[in-house]
Amino acid sequence: MDYKSRIETLRRELHEHNYNYYVLNQPTISDYEFDMMMRELQDLEAEHPEMADPNSPSQRVGSDLNQQFRQVAHKYPMLSLANTYNESEVADFYRRVKEGLEGEPFEIVAEMKYDGLSISLTYIDGRLTQAVTRGDGEKGDDVTANVRTIRSIPLQLKPGSGYPHEFEIRGEILMPWTSFEQLNRERELREEPLFANPRNAASGTLKSQKSELVASRRLDAYLYYLLLPEGATTDSQPAQMDLFADSQPAQMDLFADSQPAPLTVESHYEGLQMARGWGFKISEGMKKCTTLQEIIDFIHYWDTERKNLPVATDGIVLKVNSLRQQRHLGFTAKSPRWAIAYKFKAERACTRLNEVTYQVGRTGAITPVANMDPVQLAGTTVRRASLHNADIIRQLDLHLGDMVYVEKGGEIIPKVVGVDLAQRKPDAQPIEFIKTCPECGAPLVRYEGEAAHYCPNDTGCPPQIKGKIEHFISRKAMNIDSLGPETVDDFYQRHLINNIADLYELTVMQVSGGNKNRTVSATKAVEAIKASVNVPFERVVYAIGIRFVGETTAKLLARRFKSMDNLANATREELMDVEGVGDVIAQSVIDYFSNATNRDILSRLRDYGLTMQISDEQLAGQTDRLAGQSVVISGVFQQHSRDEYKALIEQHGGKNVGSISAKTSFVLAGENMGPAKLEKAQKLGIKIMNEAEFLQIIND
Ligand code: IVH
C-alpha cells in the first residue's frame, strides 16, 4: 500500500477508535494497538509533511467533554505523557534526560501509572473548591459535585498541616477491582450492558448526572502531580496559559496556613510527601532512582506485584525529581520532556485451540468462539475467547489444533491475538466459518458493509425468538418486569410462547402449570402482561424489534407517522426524511412490514388492545411552529431540562441537531454556553435565543 492510502486508512480507523473510546466508552481495540496505530500515523506524517491535516487524529489528544457539565478552562493545560513499550525506549529517555542536564546528577522518581481518568482538583484555604476532568486538555467538565462523593478525596485538608493558601493537585480517579466486579454482577442481573474495564466504569460513573449514584459506586483516587503558582500564596496567576514550559509551575514558594514562614518545595517527591501530610492519598509505591538499573528493577518488580493492587494500573511513570531540572528540560507541544510512561505488556498465554463454536445473538448475529485448553492468564483460568467474526479468523489464519496466543489487555474478555506457526501440524485443517445457523440450520447471510454473519431466520431460530421476546418485555420497551430471560426461556421450552403476541394469550393455569404454589406469581405475570397494553405508541414501535430501530428512532418514527398503519405504509423517501433514518434503517422498516409473520403478529397485538397510534394528548400538543428549523441546544437551563427542550423542539416540528453549521436556524442558549459554540454562532451570524424567547415562540 502506498503511504497516502495508508495515512488515510490510519486516520479513518483512528477517528473511529477515538469515537468508540471517548464517545461510546466502548473501545474495540486495546490501548496498545491504538498507540501503535497512532505512532505509525505520526511517523508517516513526519516523513510526509505535505500530507499534514489539522483534522488528523494525531492533532488531538482525545476529548472526554460531556455537554451536560459546565466547562471550565484549565489554569494550566493537562498534558499527557509520551509512552514507551520496552526497556530500550526507557534507556533512550534516561539518556535524553542525562544529555539535557549536561552531566548534572539527577534522580528519577518511578511510580505507578494508574489506569482511570485524570482529574484536576483546586483547593483554596484547605477546602476543595473545584474538580475538573481532563477534557481536551485545555478545558474539561466541572464534576465537583460528583467528586465530592469520593471518600478518598479530602474535602477539607488537615488543619495546621501546612498546606498552601491556594493550589491545584492532579491525579487519577479509579474504580477498585472489587467495586467493579460487584457493579458488573449487578448489571448482569439487571441485563444491562457490562463495563469492559474499571476505567470505563469509573468514567461512566463520574459523568453521571446524579452524584448519588456516584457515591454508591465507591470510586477511589490517587494524586500524583502537585501544582503551585510560582512564588505566591494568594491569587497570583501564571503569566500565560499555553503549552510552554514557563507557564507550568515548577519550583515554588508557599506559605503554610498556620506558619508565617515561606516553604520551598524543590522536588516532585518532596511535594507529594507533603501532600500526603495534608490528607491526600498518595501511592506508597514511589521510588527515587539514581541509576537506569534501579528503574528497570522497579519496572520488573511491579509488573508482577501490581496484580495484588486494589486498582488497575497499566504501566510505570518516570519523572525527573528536581523541579528546577524539570523546568530546565521543559515540554514539547504535547508532553513534558522530564517524564515518560512505560506501558506494561498485556498479559499473554499460549494454549491449544480445540474447537471453534458459534453463538447466535438475539439479532441473529453469529459470534465465533475459540474453545481452548484451560490456561492461567492474569489471575483467571481462560478456556474461551471471542474471535469476533470471519475476517478475524481469516486474518489469524487459524487452524484446528493450533497453539494460539491469548491476551487480556485492559479488557476483561480475553482474545486470540496470534498463532505459533512453528508448532502447527502439517495436516492441520484451516477453520472454515460455518455456512448455516448452528441453532436452526438456516443458511447464513452477510449484509453489505457489516463484518458479522447473520442468521436471517428471525421468526424461526430459537435464540432470536427468545431474544425478541426478551427485548419486547424489557424496561424501555413494554416494561413487563415480572418476566425475565429465565421465564421467557421456561415458557418457550414449554411451548407456551413462540412470539411476542403469544404472551397476551397466556393464562394463569398455563403459566403455573397447575401448580398451586405458583398461582400467585403466575397471576402477577399474567396481569403485568395485560397492563402493558397501555404502554404509549412510541414504545410499542421500539418493542416490536425492527432491526436497527432503537429507542430514539422509534420515537421519531412514532411522532412522524402517528400510527402503525401509516408507518407500515410509509415509502422509503418518507422514512428517510426522518432524522437519523438512512438507507439501512428505511430498508429494515420496509422489510419488517412486508413480512407476513410480522403483519400477523401486529394484527394480533392490535386485537389484544395494544396502543397502535399516538395518543390524542400527544397529538394535541403538536404544532408546526418550528417546522423545517434546525435548532442547536447549548448551555444550562432553568425552566426545563435539556431533554425536555429536545422533546419540545420535536413536538413543534423542529429538528434538534448537535453542532452549529450554516444550516442552523437558531441556537437555544442557556447559561454558560460553550465558548466554541458561541464563537461559531456569532461568526455564522446565527440567532441566539434564550429560554424565555423560545418558550414564547412555542406557546404563543
Ligand atoms: S503525571 C505532565 N503520573 O497518565 C504529566 N500521570 O498520559 C502529568 N497517569 O493523563 C501526568 N498515573 O491520567 C502522571 N503517576 C502518574 C500517572 C499519570 C496515571 C495518567 C494521567 C495522564 C496519563 C499520561
Side-chain angles (χ1 to χ4, degrees):
M1 205 191 280
D2 65 298
Y3 70 84
K4 274 196 183 134
S5 18
R6 183 66 191 151
I7 289 180
E8 277 154 18
T9 309
L10 285 166
R11 283 179 181 166
R12 197 183 53 243
E13 292 184 0
L14 283 164
H15 275 308
E16 178 155 344
H17 290 308
N18 246 311
Y19 175 79
N20 290 340
Y21 189 103
Y22 287 103
V23 182
L24 301 184
N25 259 329
Q26 268 168 354
T28 54
I29 60 169
S30 69
D31 290 2
Y32 176 78
E33 286 165 298
F34 183 95
D35 288 342
M36 282 299 148
M37 284 168 69
M38 181 63 88
R39 241 191 211 200
E40 189 188 342
L41 177 62
Q42 284 167 336
D43 289 346
L44 281 172
E45 285 179 345
E47 265 167 56
H48 306 284
E50 80 282 5
M51 291 285 291
D53 178 355
N55 285 331
S56 167
S58 64
Q59 299 305 301
R60 63 169 182 201
V61 219
S63 169
D64 67 356
L65 292 185
N66 180 322
Q67 291 304 322
Q68 280 142 347
F69 292 99
R70 191 170 71 97
Q71 279 175 25
V72 179
H74 292 295
K75 208 161 169 188
Y76 315 100
M78 280 181 88
L79 304 182
S80 56
L81 298 169
N83 285 327
T84 60
Y85 296 95
N86 56 51
E87 288 168 19
S88 88
E89 289 177 340
V90 171
D92 288 344
F93 165 74
Y94 193 83
R95 192 173 27 79
R96 282 198 304 276
V97 168
K98 197 169 177 168
E99 283 167 13
L101 296 175
E102 294 152 39
E104 205 180 79
F106 62 94
E107 287 172 334
I108 298 282
V109 177
E111 58 194 55
M112 301 314 302
K113 183 169 186 321
Y114 291 104
D115 193 11
L117 69 154
S118 34
I119 192 83
S120 189
L121 308 174
T122 303
Y123 284 79
I124 299 176
D125 292 331
R127 295 168 66 84
L128 173 68
T129 57
Q130 195 172 59
V132 184
T133 64
R134 177 166 185 281
D136 61 5
E138 299 275 332
K139 53 186 180 334
D141 288 336
D142 181 340
V143 289
T144 315
N146 285 347
V147 164
R148 287 212 161 94
T149 69
I150 302 174
R151 298 193 181 171
S152 48
I153 292 184
L155 299 178
Q156 166 73 60
L157 302 180
K158 283 188 197 155
S161 59
Y163 52 78
H165 165 54
E166 177 171 353
F167 68 98
E168 219 175 303
I169 189 163
R170 293 176 180 175
E172 203 84 352
I173 292 190
L174 300 141
M175 183 176 286
W177 288 110
T178 49
S179 316
F180 169 70
E181 280 150 16
Q182 189 192 335
L183 175 64
N184 264 354
R185 271 198 302 275
E186 290 166 4
R187 290 175 76 87
E188 205 167 355
L189 286 178
R190 291 197 302 263
E191 293 177 67
E192 290 168 359
L194 303 188
F195 285 113
N197 52 48
R199 175 179 21 116
N200 290 359
S203 148
T205 302
L206 203 69
K207 303 275 174 62
S208 161
Q209 289 293 298
K210 297 189 188 118
S211 49
E212 211 181 352
L213 176 126
V214 185
S216 74
R217 294 267 180 95
R218 308 199 166 278
L219 296 175
D220 199 355
Y222 284 89
L223 285 311
Y224 46 63
Y225 189 31
L226 178 63
L227 298 95
L228 297 157
E230 204 160 344
T233 60
T234 49
D235 306 307
S236 75
Q237 301 230 336
Q240 44 177 335
M241 227 211 55
D242 56 18
L243 298 179
F244 297 108
D246 349 25
S247 71
Q248 295 281 337
Q251 178 177 342
M252 44 237 150
D253 294 327
L254 46 128
F255 295 94
D257 66 329
S258 54
Q259 298 154 352
L263 267 168
T264 307
V265 176
E266 282 174 351
S267 74
H268 167 66
Y269 191 85
E270 188 192 348
L272 286 187
Q273 302 308 318
M274 285 172 53
R276 179 182 287 135
W278 303 335
F280 291 105
K281 186 160 180 171
I282 309 286
S283 167
E284 298 284 344
M286 272 173 46
K287 186 176 185 312
K288 282 192 269 188
C289 304
T290 48
T291 64
L292 179 59
Q293 192 53 50
E294 269 183 276
I295 296 173
I296 302 291
D297 291 346
F298 184 92
I299 290 176
H300 288 171
Y301 175 78
W302 281 107
D303 200 354
T304 17
E305 201 48 40
R306 71 189 180 107
K307 285 157 213 160
N308 300 321
L309 293 175
V311 293
T313 52
D314 62 344
I316 296 293
V317 177
L318 303 172
K319 298 173 183 164
V320 169
N321 192 22
S322 148
L323 299 183
R324 182 183 54 75
Q325 290 178 338
Q326 283 187 6
R327 204 169 33 184
H328 180 78
L329 291 165
F331 293 78
T332 70
K334 285 188 205 142
S335 48
R337 285 202 190 85
W338 46 263
I340 204 147
Y342 167 85
K343 300 272 278 228
F344 292 127
K345 286 188 190 60
E347 285 191 69
R348 183 180 264 221
C350 191
T351 184
R352 186 178 309 280
L353 172 71
N354 296 318
E355 193 190 5
V356 174
T357 52
Y358 298 85
Q359 282 175 354
V360 187
R362 62 178 64 184
T363 58
I366 309 287
T367 308
V369 177
N371 292 253
M372 307 162 297
D373 280 350
V375 64
Q376 279 300 113
L377 182 60
T380 54
T381 309
V382 173
R383 293 184 178 81
R384 288 152 61 83
S386 166
L387 288 166
H388 302 288
N389 57 50
D391 292 342
I392 304 266
I393 296 183
R394 196 158 17 82
Q395 275 160 26
L396 290 166
D397 183 27
L398 276 190
H399 284 52
L400 218 56
D402 269 350
M403 292 304 289
V404 293
Y405 296 109
V406 256
E407 254 186 24
K408 219 167 171 184
E411 279 65 54
I412 296 306
I413 303 162
K415 61 179 178 186
V416 174
V417 294
V419 176
D420 183 357
L421 290 176
Q423 294 197 61
R424 177 174 292 164
K425 303 251 163 56
D427 58 348
Q429 291 300 307
I431 303 285
E432 292 274 0
F433 202 86
I434 46 167
K435 303 221 158 33
T436 55
C437 174
E439 299 273 349
C440 73
L444 301 182
V445 295
R446 209 168 181 185
Y447 300 111
E448 213 183 294
E450 280 206 53
H453 283 75
Y454 284 88
C455 165
N457 181 17
D458 56 344
T459 52
C461 180
Q464 295 190 66
I465 294 174
K466 287 188 276 181
K468 270 192 168 15
I469 302 173
E470 284 170 23
H471 169 77
F472 184 77
I473 62 172
S474 66
R475 198 165 46 86
K476 290 181 170 170
M478 304 305 280
N479 193 21
I480 309 178
D481 63 357
S482 41
L483 304 184
E486 294 81 17
T487 35
V488 169
D489 186 50
D490 176 51
F491 294 175
Y492 177 76
Q493 299 293 344
R494 288 160 57 204
H495 305 291
L496 298 179
I497 53 173
N498 206 41
N499 60 49
I500 53 178
D502 293 345
L503 286 170
Y504 293 88
E505 292 196 354
L506 286 173
T507 62
V508 175
M509 191 59 184
Q510 282 176 320
V511 172
S512 69
N515 181 338
K516 288 239 151 47
N517 294 332
R518 293 216 191 121
T519 311
V520 173
S521 65
T523 310
K524 208 172 133 206
V526 170
E527 274 170 5
I529 296 171
K530 288 230 169 71
S532 74
V533 299
N534 296 321
V535 160
F537 177 56
E538 53 193 44
R539 273 168 51 197
V540 177
V541 174
Y542 173 62
I544 56 176
I546 306 172
R547 180 172 286 165
F548 307 128
V549 173
E551 215 193 332
T552 316
T553 309
K555 228 180 244 171
L556 294 173
L557 290 172
R559 292 205 186 119
R560 172 68 60 93
F561 296 102
K562 303 194 169 60
S563 75
M564 201 62 94
D565 286 340
N566 290 345
L567 179 59
N569 293 325
T571 64
R572 164 185 294 273
E573 288 67 37
E574 285 168 345
L575 288 166
M576 284 178 62
D577 194 39
V578 173
E579 187 196 340
V581 176
D583 253 345
V584 177
I585 301 187
Q587 190 55 50
S588 167
V589 174
I590 292 170
D591 289 348
Y592 180 89
F593 288 104
S594 48
N595 177 307
T597 316
N598 290 336
R599 282 206 306 269
D600 178 54
I601 289 175
L602 282 176
S603 116
R604 286 173 62 197
L605 290 177
R606 186 191 301 271
D607 293 345
Y608 302 134
L610 268 76
T611 317
M612 292 293 171
Q613 70 269 322
I614 218 154
S615 70
D616 292 343
E617 287 143 50
Q618 264 174 306
L619 270 181
Q622 295 214 337
T623 74
D624 51 8
R625 280 188 195 135
L626 298 174
Q629 310 225 33
S630 292
V631 186
V632 171
I633 305 183
S634 182
V636 186
F637 298 92
Q638 303 296 332
Q639 315 247 32
H640 293 279
S641 72
R642 219 170 228 277
D643 281 345
E644 285 166 356
Y645 276 120
K646 225 169 133 179
L648 280 171
I649 291 171
E650 285 162 7
Q651 191 184 325
H652 294 281
K655 195 162 142 186
N656 171 231
V657 293
S659 59
I660 297 178
S661 73
K663 290 193 200 129
T664 307
S665 312
F666 64 90
V667 179
L668 169 57
E671 279 165 36
N672 291 316
M673 174 176 173
K677 276 199 175 141
L678 185 63
E679 198 188 314
K680 194 154 180 203
Q682 284 167 344
K683 212 154 110 195
L684 293 170
I686 286 160
K687 184 170 166 56
I688 297 175
M689 214 181 267
N690 65 25
E691 280 186 282
E693 291 171 297
F694 175 80
L695 290 171
Q696 183 149 18
I697 290 186
I698 60 166
N699 293 328
D700 222 356

